[in-house]
Amino acid sequence: MKIYSAIALLAAASLPLGASAFGNLDIARIAADTTTTEPADTVGFGFRDIKVIPHTSVKDQNKSGTCWCFSGTSFIEDEILRQGGDSLDLSEMFTVRQCYLDKAIRYIRLYGQTNFAAGGSALDVPYVWKRYGAMPEEVYSGLQYGEEKHVHGELDAALKAYLDAIKANPNKKLSTAWLKGVEGILDAYLGEVPETFTYRGKTYTPRSYAESLPVNIDDYVSITSFTHHPFYGEFAVEVPDNWIWEKSLNLPMEEMKAVVDNAIEKGYPVVWAADVSEGGFKWKDGYAVMPKEKKEADLEGTELSRWVTLSDKERQESRFDFTSPVPEMEITQEIRQQMFDNQETTDDHGMEIVGTATDRNGTRYYKVKNSWDTNQVYGGYFYVSEPYFYAKTIDILVHKDAIPKDIARKIK
């Protein structure tokens, strides 16, 4: 997943409402089970939060393709909260650096016949946690190159160009220096990783710091839902950013959703990897829905008269021209699979589901925490309809105890 938050710049003119009043403050102790008495707005969707689990503040990946790490790190922070730990701000760029390094090794080992890019999977966060540990944000911010926020265009281009030069093997044998060159680029942009650091009066290594936190990284499971592999077994989801080929548990889509519902009800956060390229994904306006395609049989009067004069492109655009709840597609397992097979559904972006809500009609949504800063109508959050979730989810990451027992019994 490698969506840059430049999309979020479209929201810059919007007045921040709701959660944006807290800015980047830690809202872990503010977020709780909530029920509002009135819709948040007087027109439009009128979202009403039903349940919101405690969670840390919205962060900003800015112009970097690191949504996978921001969502996965936020998830770990919230798991620490759930288990009674402190509210922490963990370093995303420590994890990003380790992944860049391991991707580089794999890229050269496979003669460039694999993916090397900024994108990744939320499963990369547990991968780094187990092998290298973790660090606090204040110890390793990854901002060593004259920027106040993450801007990785130059870094990504430099790494890829360097690796492609090494891949060409101009000496007919790789030297012992090439990996040090990768490390040098990473050190220049993100900073050298200290062997030890002091945090809150204690000295740690990255490994000992991770071990000090109330997280058993083996307790987390990735879940997906596709019919080209058997249900209740595992497989590696075939997307380029799953570079470590980590496996996910394959469940029918209704059961995948049941895991999310059970998780939120019991206070577990959920990482959500999904396609955000749809016309119904409206970040600026704070919602994502899957509107039905308009048909002449559904139109009446002047609306039909206007419809028949539109071009095909205009008709398609009109499907996504709405500011209040609209009839949505009925998503089946077959439709979901077809969208993935024909690549209408792509692995775009990693986010975190932190709650549930309803619109003014009582229709249910998930409340999603994003990593595109807070300068947006809902302060960095948006609402995802259940049809959108069914259609566009790539996979989720959740604590194994969030899986309902009747589903867990079916797992091979």
Side-chain angles (χ1 to χ4, degrees):
M1 291 164 288
K2 46 189 174 290
I3 288 290
Y4 281 49
S5 67
I7 298 173
L9 296 177
L10 297 174
S14 300
L15 291 176
L17 300 173
S20 63
F22 306 117
N24 277 326
L25 296 177
D26 181 5
I27 62 170
R29 302 306 178 191
I30 298 171
D33 293 2
T34 58
T35 303
T36 59
T37 56
E38 295 292 336
D41 49 5
T42 57
V43 295
F45 279 77
F47 292 115
R48 177 185 288 111
D49 289 347
I50 301 302
K51 183 180 179 73
V52 180
I53 66 171
H55 58 279
T56 56
S57 60
V58 172
K59 307 302 192 299
D60 185 12
Q61 71 183 79
N62 200 43
K63 297 178 182 179
S64 72
T66 58
C67 60
W68 55 272
C69 190
F70 276 81
S71 58
T73 303
S74 174
F75 170 78
I76 295 296
E77 291 173 354
D78 296 344
E79 274 291 288
I80 292 169
L81 278 179
R82 182 185 65 80
Q83 297 177 85
D86 292 337
S87 176
L88 299 175
D89 185 2
L90 300 176
S91 169
E92 290 86 10
M93 290 304 121
F94 171 78
T95 302
V96 168
R97 187 191 190 282
Q98 303 307 319
C99 283
Y100 272 131
L101 193 58
D102 283 8
K103 284 180 189 179
I105 294 170
R106 184 168 299 199
Y107 185 74
I108 297 303
R109 193 176 298 280
L110 295 177
Y111 302 90
Q113 301 302 306
T114 188
N115 190 43
F116 184 86
S121 159
L123 290 167
D124 294 358
V125 176
Y127 169 87
V128 169
W129 191 283
K130 290 180 70 171
R131 287 161 179 78
Y132 305 109
M135 297 182 74
E137 175 72 15
E138 67 181 67
V139 174
Y140 195 86
S141 67
L143 290 168
Q144 303 298 321
Y145 50 102
E147 299 286 350
E148 294 183 359
K149 292 186 174 185
H150 304 296
V151 183
H152 283 189
E154 186 175 294
L155 169 61
D156 293 340
L159 284 170
K160 185 62 164 58
Y162 177 84
L163 289 171
D164 284 342
I166 300 301
K167 180 188 71 172
N169 197 3
N171 293 352
K172 306 305 179 184
K173 182 180 74 171
L174 295 184
S175 73
T176 59
W178 77 266
L179 187 56
K180 293 179 182 178
V182 177
E183 292 173 335
I185 294 172
L186 293 171
D187 288 348
Y189 282 89
L190 304 181
E192 296 183 32
V193 176
E195 291 186 8
T196 63
F197 59 90
T198 301
Y199 180 66
R200 296 184 178 179
K202 294 184 179 181
T203 300
Y204 299 96
T205 66
R207 280 183 173 272
S208 67
Y209 180 67
E211 291 167 358
S212 75
L213 301 174
V215 173
N216 181 355
I217 215 68
D218 293 324
D219 284 343
Y220 302 105
V221 59
S222 176
I223 297 173
T224 192
S225 179
F226 293 110
T227 59
H228 64 290
H229 291 276
F231 288 138
Y232 307 112
E234 291 183 315
F235 76 97
V237 179
E238 303 95 335
V239 293
D241 285 334
N242 186 14
W243 62 280
I244 55 176
W245 290 110
E246 191 65 64
K247 293 181 178 179
S248 296
L249 173 64
N250 196 29
L251 298 179
M253 69 177 195
E254 293 86 357
E255 294 186 359
M256 177 176 67
K257 179 178 173 297
V259 172
V260 176
D261 293 340
N262 189 60
I264 297 301
E265 180 60 30
K266 294 186 176 180
Y268 293 88
V270 180
V271 178
W272 182 51
D275 179 357
V276 297
S277 64
E278 293 295 313
F281 179 86
K282 295 180 178 288
W283 164 248
K284 176 182 175 181
D285 300 317
Y287 49 83
V289 299
M290 289 294 293
K292 282 184 177 180
E293 292 188 19
K294 295 180 179 179
K295 298 181 180 179
E296 290 188 12
D298 300 326
L299 303 174
E300 296 181 0
T302 57
E303 188 178 2
L304 177 58
S305 299
R306 174 180 175 275
W307 178 261
V308 297
T309 63
L310 297 178
S311 67
D312 290 343
K313 180 182 178 181
E314 289 170 331
R315 289 183 182 184
Q316 180 64 16
E317 290 175 348
S318 73
R319 177 187 172 194
F320 303 109
D321 183 14
F322 54 86
T323 56
S324 59
V326 292
E328 295 192 55
M329 294 176 62
E330 181 179 348
I331 305 299
T332 64
Q333 188 81 57
E334 292 72 25
I335 290 174
R336 170 181 164 77
Q337 184 70 36
Q338 182 181 26
M339 288 178 171
F340 182 71
D341 287 344
N342 66 19
Q343 298 185 354
E344 286 182 83
T345 296
T346 52
D347 180 33
D348 291 341
H349 192 40
M351 300 148 282
E352 186 185 14
I353 298 175
V354 296
T356 55
T358 56
D359 66 16
R360 62 175 60 261
N361 297 331
T363 303
R364 193 168 178 273
Y365 293 73
Y366 294 115
K367 184 169 187 174
V368 176
K369 174 185 170 183
N370 205 353
S371 55
W372 290 349
D373 211 348
T374 59
N375 53 348
Q376 174 256 13
V377 64
Y378 296 119
Y381 301 81
F382 68 102
Y383 296 89
V384 174
S385 73
E386 292 182 338
Y388 196 100
F389 174 87
Y390 274 137
K392 296 299 169 179
T393 297
I394 299 295
D395 50 44
I396 62 172
L397 181 66
V398 71
H399 194 285
K400 64 183 183 181
D401 290 347
I403 301 174
K405 292 182 179 179
D406 61 328
I407 296 176
R409 285 192 290 266
K410 302 177 186 178
I411 298 171
K412 297 174 184 176

